[in-house]
């Protein structure tokens, strides 16, 4: 079977094979019943024809023949008795004169077909000639089509119980497969709900024993994957922790050297060195935050006042905004509450506002607005920077991706961290270039129930 027509559903395959099996069973039953009952009917009818013929042969003067009609002969299988003269040349009497059947030359049973129709087939028994030549010859005829119809009807009746059981069996199969598929769907939901930090295995007790090895293998793979991710996360955390101390020492030494650097080319190179150290420190902090985010989500979840959290985020970033002479404003028209860990929400908004401040031009403006859009609370972070090319609006969420020619220093992790934290808590981030001028709008859709 080609892949185009291959059935992908287990239920469809079972139904198809079961129907095919039932059809084969019905055909086998009809064939067996036709053969067995056909022999039984033919033997019984032949015995009746023989006895009837011999009863007439035993009389020197045959008794009167009981007349039958064509319907009796064709539809009901009545016997037609013919009495011939001893030499077989003259028909002395017939229970159905309408039958034109000559006396057969050989005694015993024979099959005669008078035409192409089923009613034109006849079973004939010709009795042996008597001891004297003046004794009549007797021939008994029965319609063979009647025999065949009766045998076919009986064979079909034998297969009727199997045919009647087919819908009942199909219904039972549907119920069994549906019950098994429900347990599989429950396992699929458990697997889909698994977090990286979850240690509980998927329960295999409620699935059929034929599928339990698959669930056990899946648990084994998930366990190895968690182990590998945990090792990677620990390495990233350890590396970030180990790098923080020397980077802090380097930063301190740079602060101490600032007053001893002469003006001119040395001061310019010193400023570049200071900027590189600052970017390295920012990258280490982002890596540490990313490693913590890849672990299990924080257990503490509660209603968080988004307006208050945004004010804190804006206040924390005012130092960076003052350095770049960027005017940061906040406008809160609504005060929604979101059920999420505060650290996760801070991760979302801190990264978005930090990006806006870094990419806004010196002396630019960054607006943070909390308002309603189509009945749903949203947070808009708007800057008047260069924006993002339309074909790269989705790629900027990839880790370590930076737009070519970007002047602002960054690690390429901020938006990736923000989106991961948003998705884990039912938020959605959409980036779009501003239609009212240069710049970017980062919109965060809060849960509708906020």
């Amino acid at each position: 079977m080609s892949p185009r027509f291959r059935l992908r559903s287990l239920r469809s395959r079972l139904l198809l094979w079961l129907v095919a099996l039932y059809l084969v069973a019905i055909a086998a039953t009809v064939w067996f019943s036709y053969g067995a009952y056909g022999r039984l009917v033919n033997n019984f009818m032949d015995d009746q024809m023989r006895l009837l013929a011999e009863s007439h042969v035993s009389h020197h003067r045959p008794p009167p023949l009981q007349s039958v009609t064509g319907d009796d002969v064709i539809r009901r299988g009545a016997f037609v008795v013919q009495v011939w003269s001893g030499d077989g040349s003259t028909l002395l009497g017939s229970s159905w004169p309408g039958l034109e059947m000559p006396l057969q030359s050989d005694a015993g049973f024979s099959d005669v077909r008078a035409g192409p129709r089923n009613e034109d087939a006849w079973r004939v028994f010709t009795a042996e000639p008597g001891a004297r030549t003046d004794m009549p010859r007797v021939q008994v005829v029965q319609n063979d089509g009647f025999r065949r119809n009766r045998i076919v009807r009986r064979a079909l009746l034998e297969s009727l119980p199997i045919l009647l059981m087919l819908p009942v069996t199909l219904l039972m199969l549907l119920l069994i497969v549906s019950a098994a598929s429900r347990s599989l769907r429950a396992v699929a939901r458990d697997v889909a709900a698994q977090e990286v930090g979850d240690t509980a295995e998927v329960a295999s007790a409620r699935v059929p024993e034929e599928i339990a090895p698959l669930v056990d293998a899946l648990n084994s793979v998930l366990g190895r994957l968690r182990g590998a991710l945990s090792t990677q996360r620990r390495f990233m955390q350890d590396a970030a922790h180990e790098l923080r101390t020397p980077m802090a020492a380097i930063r301190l030494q740079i602060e101490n050297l600032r007053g001893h650097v002469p003006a001119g080319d040395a001061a310019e190179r010193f400023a570049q060195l200071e900027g590189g150290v600052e970017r390295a420190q920012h990258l280490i902090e982002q890596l540490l935050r990313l490693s913590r985010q890849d672990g299990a989500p924080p257990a503490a979840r509660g209603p968080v006042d988004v307006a208050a959290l945004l004010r804190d985020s804006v206040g924390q970033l005012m130092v960076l905004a003052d350095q770049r002479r960027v005017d940061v404003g906040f406008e809160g028209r609504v005060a929604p509450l979101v059920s999420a860990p505060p650290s996760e929400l801070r991760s979302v908004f801190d990264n978005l506002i930090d990006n806006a401040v870094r990419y806004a031009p010196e002396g630019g403006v960054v607006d943070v607005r909390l308002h309603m859009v189509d009945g749903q609370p949203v947070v808009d972070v708007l800057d008047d920077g260069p924006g993002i090319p339309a074909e790269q609006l989705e790629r900027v969420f990839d880790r370590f991706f930076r737009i070519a020619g970007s002047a602002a220093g960054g690690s390429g992790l901020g938006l990736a961290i923000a989106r991961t934290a948003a998705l884990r808590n039912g938020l959605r981030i959409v980036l779009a270039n501003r239609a009212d001028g240069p710049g970017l709008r980062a919109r965060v859709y809060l849960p509708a129930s906020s």
Side-chain angles (χ1 to χ4, degrees):
M1 184 180 294
S2 64
R4 183 177 180 182
F5 298 100
R6 186 175 297 134
L7 295 175
R8 299 178 61 88
S9 169
L10 179 61
R11 179 187 303 177
S12 300
R13 291 183 184 181
L14 290 175
L15 291 178
L16 179 62
W17 281 105
L18 185 63
V19 170
L21 179 62
Y22 262 80
L23 293 178
V24 172
I26 291 173
T29 303
V30 171
W31 177 80
F32 179 80
S33 300
Y34 184 84
Y37 190 69
R39 286 191 297 270
L40 178 65
V41 169
N42 285 325
N43 292 337
F44 176 77
M45 293 295 182
D46 287 349
D47 290 341
Q48 294 295 315
M49 293 174 67
R50 182 186 297 109
L51 292 174
L52 182 60
E54 290 176 351
S55 67
H56 283 78
V57 169
S58 61
H59 295 81
H60 178 71
R61 181 171 295 181
L65 300 177
Q66 184 178 359
S67 62
V68 293
T69 64
D71 188 68
D72 293 334
V73 174
I74 302 298
R75 306 298 176 192
R76 298 182 179 86
F79 296 123
V80 178
V81 181
Q82 295 178 329
V83 180
W84 295 80
S85 61
D87 58 1
S89 60
T90 305
L91 179 63
L92 301 179
S94 174
S95 57
W96 184 36
L99 177 63
E100 298 179 358
M101 178 66 63
L103 182 66
Q104 303 301 306
S105 57
D106 297 328
F109 289 98
S110 58
D111 295 315
V112 178
R113 176 166 287 277
R117 300 179 304 168
N118 192 37
E119 293 84 356
D120 297 331
W122 302 91
R123 182 70 169 170
V124 181
F125 177 75
T126 306
E128 295 283 347
R132 298 195 309 270
T133 57
D134 59 339
M135 293 185 66
R137 299 284 302 275
V138 177
Q139 183 169 265
V140 180
V141 184
Q142 186 181 31
N143 186 261
D144 195 55
F146 164 77
R147 291 190 180 189
R148 294 179 184 273
N149 292 336
R150 186 167 182 177
I151 294 171
V152 170
R153 285 198 300 269
R154 180 58 181 266
L156 293 177
L157 286 175
E158 292 288 339
S159 64
L160 185 61
I162 302 178
L163 186 62
L164 294 178
M165 283 295 294
L166 178 59
V168 178
T169 307
L170 292 179
L171 179 60
M172 292 179 61
L173 178 64
L174 284 175
L175 295 176
I176 294 172
V177 174
S178 298
S181 61
R182 276 198 301 271
S183 62
L184 288 178
R185 285 193 294 269
V187 170
R189 287 194 298 269
D190 291 346
V191 173
Q194 289 274 319
E195 296 288 348
V196 176
D198 291 346
T199 57
E201 294 185 345
V202 180
S204 60
R206 55 185 170 181
V207 299
E209 61 180 11
E210 292 83 3
I211 306 174
L214 176 62
V215 178
D216 294 337
L218 182 61
N219 284 327
S220 177
V221 172
L222 289 176
R224 293 195 297 271
L225 179 61
R226 292 191 188 102
L229 293 176
S230 178
T231 302
Q232 178 185 3
R233 186 168 58 253
R234 283 197 303 270
F235 170 77
M236 190 181 296
Q237 289 177 348
D238 294 343
H241 276 294
E242 291 297 324
L243 287 172
R244 291 178 75 181
T245 301
M247 289 305 299
I250 293 173
R251 183 64 183 267
L252 180 61
Q253 294 298 327
I254 288 177
E255 292 289 339
N256 294 333
L257 287 173
R258 180 180 289 113
H260 302 283
V261 177
D265 185 63
E268 184 178 346
R269 293 180 181 275
F270 183 82
Q272 293 176 355
L273 174 62
E274 190 176 20
V277 171
E278 183 180 351
R279 287 193 297 273
Q281 277 191 311
H282 182 67
L283 174 60
I284 292 171
E285 292 296 331
Q286 293 284 60
L287 286 173
L288 186 59
R289 184 179 299 176
L290 182 64
S291 66
R292 291 170 179 168
Q293 192 179 67
D294 285 340
R301 302 177 69 92
V304 178
D305 187 346
V306 178
L309 186 140
L310 287 172
R311 290 190 187 94
D312 291 342
S313 294
V314 171
Q316 262 198 348
L317 290 168
M318 287 305 296
V319 176
L320 177 62
D322 290 341
Q323 290 176 356
R324 305 195 71 252
R325 294 183 291 111
V326 174
D327 181 18
V328 181
F330 171 70
E331 179 184 2
R333 299 180 182 177
V334 292
L337 300 177
V338 175
S339 178
S343 60
E344 297 265 300
L345 294 180
R346 284 297 298 266
S347 179
V348 174
F349 297 121
D350 284 356
N351 280 288
L352 292 178
I353 300 173
D354 179 83
N355 269 3
V357 172
R358 289 179 183 275
Y359 282 90
E362 288 196 10
V365 177
V366 171
D367 290 325
V368 180
R369 300 174 184 172
L370 175 59
H371 60 115
M372 303 290 290
V373 174
D374 297 331
Q376 183 175 2
V378 300
V379 176
D380 285 341
V381 180
L382 302 104
D383 63 61
D384 54 356
I388 299 175
E391 66 275 7
Q392 296 183 355
L393 283 172
E394 282 300 317
R395 289 204 61 194
V396 294
F397 288 105
D398 297 340
R399 295 181 179 183
F400 300 106
F401 177 81
R402 296 189 64 208
I403 300 174
S406 175
S411 60
L413 289 175
L415 289 176
I417 294 173
R419 169 169 277 190
T420 302
L423 292 177
R424 284 168 60 157
N425 294 280
L427 283 68
R428 184 164 59 95
I429 301 176
V430 177
L431 301 182
N433 291 306
R434 296 178 62 173
D436 56 348
L440 183 73
R441 183 194 69 192
R443 173 167 290 177
V444 181
Y445 288 88
L446 303 179
S449 59
S450 300

